[in-house]
Amino acid sequence: MFTTRPTLQGTFGMVSSTHWLASQSAMAVLEDGGNAFDAAVAGAFVLHVVEPHLNGPAGEVPILLAPAGGAVRVLCGQGVAPAGASAAHYRGLGLDLVPGTGPLAAAVPGAFDAWLLLLRDHGTKSLEDVLKYAIGYAEHGHAPVENVGATVASVRRLFETEWTSSAEVYLPGGRPPRPGTLLRNPALAATWKRLLAETARAGGREARIDAAREVWRSGFIAEALVRQSGRPTMDTSGERHTGTLTGADLAGWSAGYEAPVTYDRDGWTVCKAGPWSQGPVLLQQLALLPPELPAYGGADYVHLLIEGCKLAMADREAWYGDAAEVPLAELLSDGYNARRRTLIGDAASYELRPGSPGGRTPRLPAHAHARVPAGPVPGFDPMGAGEPTVAPLPGAPTLAEATGEAQVTGEAEVAADGTTRGDTCHLDVVDRWGNMIAATPSGGWLQSNPVVPELGFPLGTRLQMTWLEEGLPGSLTPGRRPRTTLTPSLALRDGVPVMAFGTPGGDQQDQWQLHFFLAATLRAPVRGGLDLQGAIDAPNWHNDSFPSSFHPRRRRPGSVTVESRTDPAVIAELRRRGHDVTVGPAWSEGRLCAVARDPETGILSAAANPRGMQGYAVGR
């Protein structure tokens, strides 16, 4: 079959990420004798520099890691709500939703500590070895991808009038960054250099890493983050608010390890993070599939996957979160999903139908029924705000329309009312020893909060995914994690790690990943291995029938967006069944990355998404 690129194969090491500079930096670490975990940390810090509209050090990251010969583990880099971030406090400010931007939306930052914990426990390289690539690109510059400039252009007025510290970094010479020029972030480079200088005498690799974690928690970095949280900042509410983050919040939290949630099907075991993430949605979708699937890619197949997704997402809204017990065993049980499967009929469902695991009564947030206006929405971009002024860019997380005319749309966007959405990054690595990792860094986007002037990066906004109603698993609760959309994947074959994969895309991540996983495992192999590139290249789709995880939390019942490469007969049949089908650009659905290892031969493989024209796999 024709693919846009080859599925790479080799025996030394493979990296796939959403930006070529991160992929090649990670590969350089492998070439220098580092393992997959060293490489992933180096690549992640480069992603902070080259995809600042998609992630940052004060964001978050769930990591799935499979050490050679060891058990798969989840490393949770999702910080909790600060002690002062109660639903009552936010309602007392006159809010009914957590703002989509500004310090009120900031959880305790999690990404930095998670990456350093990974480096300490599973890496071999020094802190300086893994930071030097990011420092180099921040200090000396990199050629920004077009989407960085488009994102900055969309927030230019905000930066110039309100978030002036962001303008200093991202409006060099008074204009947005352009491809073919160099974009520098000297403040970020200075932060990492100071971090290295302050920890230089810690003694020993692991001691120095722990010293750096302490600087983040209680040193100059923590002090600057707390000062920023206390600065009145314009947010999506149209008002200026201060945040709730304190030094005690930073000092009291650290990343940690957990067992993955798993589901077995046809000899494969798929591993995901727990229901504080979106991860179990993929497992529920697998559990909802009948033993025998319709023909791959046909209308019956696509309809089945769309309708199963709606049921899984309805359960996500009713049951997932970190503020209450989640009945996960029942949600993944055969009996529960067999009953749920009977709800999938020939016609498209427009309802939000959570189940009753263990006989429990589901409860949905009041905002779960918010929707876009009825009827066709010209130029509808579910991640945008109203009618976009330019075509949406590939791989964006989607969101029902907001009020106000969009200034620009794409992977990270801002509406005229200040509403912003950012996307995400992804990174997979496998090395010659068999170590494997999948990670989905996100948050702390340049359009989420003003740049902390002393540090060169902003706070995140993950608390926007919590509800201000009490008593829900996803309610805003001090000390508990917001239910994130981030959801990397690891797949085992007969108990042995074989494949790491994932994608940016907000609520769409596990929709795109399900189709990828089925495509990679159902279709014929290429050159003796999994057809990773073919599975990535295959036409994909998503639906927005459930509440978005992003402010303002709306949904578009019955909607399905497909790539124009989809068989016209399939599109016609979906419409006959009642799906509200939007035909998007030919290469617009998903930004998947994947690496794999054949346990019998030791052959490694990798592939990356051509959509967006910046994801790359490298290896040998």
Side-chain angles (χ1 to χ4, degrees):
M1 126 174 218
F2 170 79
T3 58
T4 57
R5 308 167 180 177
T7 294
L8 306 184
Q9 290 193 314
T11 56
F12 181 81
M14 291 283 165
V15 182
S16 179
S17 88
T18 49
H19 196 290
W20 61 83
L21 291 179
S23 295
Q24 190 54 51
S25 297
M27 192 68 201
V29 173
L30 293 180
E31 296 284 4
D32 195 40
N35 65 20
F37 309 119
D38 297 312
V41 175
F45 278 90
V46 170
L47 285 173
H48 297 158
V49 180
V50 300
E51 292 194 312
H53 59 312
L54 306 181
N55 78 139
E60 48 276 327
V61 59
I63 301 169
L64 272 71
L65 60 146
V72 175
R73 299 291 288 168
V74 174
L75 176 50
C76 174
Q78 175 58 64
V80 298
S86 68
H89 171 63
Y90 285 57
R91 290 197 306 269
L93 296 173
L95 300 170
D96 60 356
L97 288 174
V98 177
T101 60
L104 278 177
V108 176
F112 177 89
D113 194 65
W115 287 119
L116 263 63
L117 187 63
L118 175 71
L119 180 67
R120 187 196 72 181
D121 294 347
H122 298 279
T124 64
K125 290 292 189 179
S126 71
L127 185 61
E128 194 164 16
D129 285 339
V130 297
L131 284 179
K132 65 183 180 182
Y133 305 94
I135 291 172
Y137 287 124
E139 183 172 24
H140 303 297
H142 68 282
V145 295
E146 185 176 357
N147 294 341
V148 173
T151 303
V152 174
S154 73
V155 289
R156 179 172 183 167
R157 185 168 69 240
L158 180 66
F159 281 12
E160 290 174 338
T161 60
E162 296 281 348
W163 297 7
T164 55
S165 60
S166 299
E168 291 178 9
V169 176
Y170 291 111
L171 289 172
R175 58 187 304 176
R178 292 169 295 156
T181 63
L182 288 176
L183 174 61
R184 297 178 175 88
N185 189 339
L188 178 58
T191 295
W192 298 147
K193 284 185 170 184
R194 181 176 174 183
L195 180 74
L196 292 173
E198 290 195 6
T199 59
R201 296 183 180 180
R205 192 187 77 90
E206 294 182 10
R208 189 179 192 188
I209 294 169
D210 278 337
R213 295 173 69 205
E214 273 308 305
V215 170
W216 180 276
R217 287 197 193 99
S218 59
F220 79 93
I221 295 177
E223 293 168 358
L225 292 173
V226 172
R227 279 196 299 272
Q228 185 62 44
S229 179
R231 292 177 176 126
T233 301
M234 179 66 70
D235 61 35
T236 55
S237 71
E239 302 290 337
R240 294 180 183 87
H241 291 112
T242 58
T244 61
L245 185 68
T246 67
D249 295 319
L250 286 162
W253 183 88
S254 65
Y257 296 98
E258 304 174 358
V261 180
T262 63
Y263 186 78
D264 298 332
R265 183 182 174 94
D266 300 330
W268 289 90
T269 300
V270 180
C271 303
K272 302 290 282 188
W276 54 268
S277 78
Q278 187 173 229
V281 163
L282 178 59
L283 308 184
Q284 283 197 252
Q285 289 178 98
L286 286 170
L288 283 163
L289 295 175
E292 297 295 327
L293 297 181
Y296 171 85
D300 289 342
Y301 174 87
V302 177
H303 173 78
L304 176 67
L305 267 58
I306 292 169
E307 294 302 302
C309 173
K310 293 175 184 178
L311 295 175
M313 286 295 195
D315 277 345
R316 184 192 77 172
E317 292 309 305
W319 300 110
Y320 288 23
D322 195 40
E325 181 183 355
V326 179
L328 198 56
E330 291 93 340
L331 289 170
L332 295 175
S333 67
D334 291 340
Y336 175 79
N337 286 286
R339 293 189 297 274
R340 296 280 279 162
R341 195 180 303 130
T342 63
L343 297 176
I344 300 176
D346 182 66
S349 170
Y350 279 58
E351 300 175 45
L352 195 62
R353 300 179 290 178
S356 301
R360 298 169 177 84
T361 301
R363 178 186 162 198
L364 291 170
H367 273 84
H369 299 288
R371 62 181 68 197
V372 301
V377 182
F380 174 76
D381 169 19
M383 184 56 191
E387 187 173 351
T389 57
V390 297
L393 301 174
T398 62
L399 182 67
E401 78 167 358
T403 303
E405 182 184 359
Q407 296 175 27
V408 69
T409 61
E411 289 181 333
E413 308 157 37
V414 181
D417 65 356
T419 300
T420 70
R421 264 74 74 184
D423 199 357
T424 302
C425 307
H426 189 79
L427 176 70
D428 301 311
V429 189
V430 61
D431 65 26
R432 61 190 184 275
W433 301 288
N435 299 302
M436 187 178 293
I437 182 171
T440 309
S442 187
W445 313 302
L446 65 86
Q447 67 280 12
S448 64
N449 259 298
V451 165
V452 183
E454 305 95 322
L455 302 178
F457 58 84
L459 288 164
T461 56
R462 193 59 58 174
L463 292 185
Q464 68 177 291
M465 297 184 176
T466 61
W467 299 105
L468 297 184
E469 296 174 57
E470 304 281 3
L472 297 166
S475 296
L476 177 62
T477 306
R480 309 304 293 179
R481 292 167 292 190
R483 193 273 301 152
T484 180
T485 54
L486 308 175
T487 172
S489 303
L490 268 169
L492 288 63
R493 181 72 177 174
D494 299 323
V496 180
V498 170
M499 183 166 57
F501 58 99
T503 180
D507 295 310
Q508 280 54 64
Q509 290 178 34
D510 280 321
Q511 301 187 57
W512 293 330
Q513 288 186 70
L514 175 66
H515 179 49
F516 163 81
F517 176 73
L518 294 176
T521 58
L522 291 177
R523 299 168 76 180
V526 172
R527 291 192 293 276
L530 292 170
D531 183 10
L532 299 182
Q533 194 64 52
I536 288 173
D537 287 355
N540 218 319
W541 62 85
H542 78 269
N543 84 91
D544 296 294
S545 294
F546 47 86
S548 168
S549 297
F550 297 86
H551 187 280
R553 313 301 299 271
R554 293 176 180 170
R555 69 186 185 105
R556 192 181 179 210
S559 68
V560 177
T561 302
V562 303
E563 292 182 329
S564 62
R565 296 180 295 129
T566 304
D567 183 347
V570 170
I571 295 173
E573 177 60 16
L574 292 175
R575 284 175 169 155
R576 187 195 69 79
R577 296 184 184 206
H579 295 280
D580 179 11
V581 179
T582 297
V583 178
W587 296 91
S588 56
E589 292 289 317
R591 287 178 63 205
L592 283 144
C593 299
V595 299
R597 180 179 183 271
D598 186 327
E600 295 183 3
T601 65
I603 292 175
L604 313 177
S605 56
N609 178 53
R611 302 165 178 89
M613 298 181 67
Q614 65 186 65
Y616 266 88
V618 296
R620 67 175 179 87

